[in-house]
């Protein structure tokens, strides 16, 4: 199982970015997929999660109406579309995946500690 994030960059306040998470070694449609972010000295926090087998995304209140998760099944990729970026959105963004979450509980949790597989992260800086 491998997750590779890309698309991070430095953008101006109010700008937009699209992050990609390319998955390999598994099919995303059987997994909970999540985007999380972390700044130095703070805990990793959820951005949004989705059951890739069918369901609506669940977003953190801080990004609702600005960020959107989409799925590209042909490329086995999860996308994070970010609009209206603010300096507070500056962080390392991580993609995560877990197969057992949905099976156990019927939903994808927001807690990063419950996700088994992680990418290396991509930096987003808003100035």
């Amino acid at each position: 199982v491998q997750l590779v994030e890309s698309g991070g960059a430095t953008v101006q306040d109010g700008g937009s970015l699209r992050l990609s998470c390319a998955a390999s070694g598994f099919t995303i449609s059987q997994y909970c997929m999540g985007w999380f972010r972390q700044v130095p000295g703070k805990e990793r926090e959820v951005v949004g999660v989705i059951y890739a087998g069918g369901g609506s995304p669940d977003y953190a209140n801080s990004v609702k109406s600005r960020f959107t998760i989409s799925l590209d099944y042909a490329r086995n990729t999860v996308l994070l579309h970010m609009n209206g970026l603010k300096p507070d959105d500056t962080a390392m963004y991580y993609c995560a995946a877990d197969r057992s979450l949905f099976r156990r509980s019927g939903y994808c949790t927001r807690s990063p500690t419950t996700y088994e597989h992680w990418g290396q992260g991509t930096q987003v800086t808003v100035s």
Side-chain angles (χ1 to χ4, degrees), residues 27-42:
T27 302
I28 62 172
S29 62
Q30 299 175 351
Y31 281 67
C32 283
M33 303 297 299
W35 283 99
F36 297 83
R37 65 188 183 185
Q38 188 172 23
V39 297
K42 292 190 176 181

Side-chain angles (χ1 to χ4, degrees), residues 1-4 21-34 52 72-73 75-78 95-99 116-119:
V1 172
Q2 187 176 19
L3 300 168
V4 179
C21 171
S24 59
F26 71 101
T27 302
I28 62 172
S29 62
Q30 299 175 351
Y31 281 67
C32 283
M33 303 297 299
D72 185 339
Y73 293 106
R75 291 180 172 82
N76 213 39
T77 296
V78 183
C95 176
D98 195 278
R99 184 170 185 176
E116 181 177 4
H117 306 290
W118 290 85

Side-chain angles (χ1 to χ4, degrees), residues 18-78:
R18 188 185 75 173
L19 305 184
S20 295
C21 171
S24 59
F26 71 101
T27 302
I28 62 172
S29 62
Q30 299 175 351
Y31 281 67
C32 283
M33 303 297 299
W35 283 99
F36 297 83
R37 65 188 183 185
Q38 188 172 23
V39 297
K42 292 190 176 181
E43 293 187 353
R44 193 167 294 189
E45 64 176 15
V46 67
V47 174
V49 298
I50 185 171
Y51 177 58
S56 299
D58 178 27
Y59 298 103
N61 288 338
S62 59
V63 306
K64 269 182 186 174
S65 77
R66 299 188 299 122
F67 291 11
T68 303
I69 292 174
S70 65
L71 303 169
D72 185 339
Y73 293 106
R75 291 180 172 82
N76 213 39
T77 296
V78 183

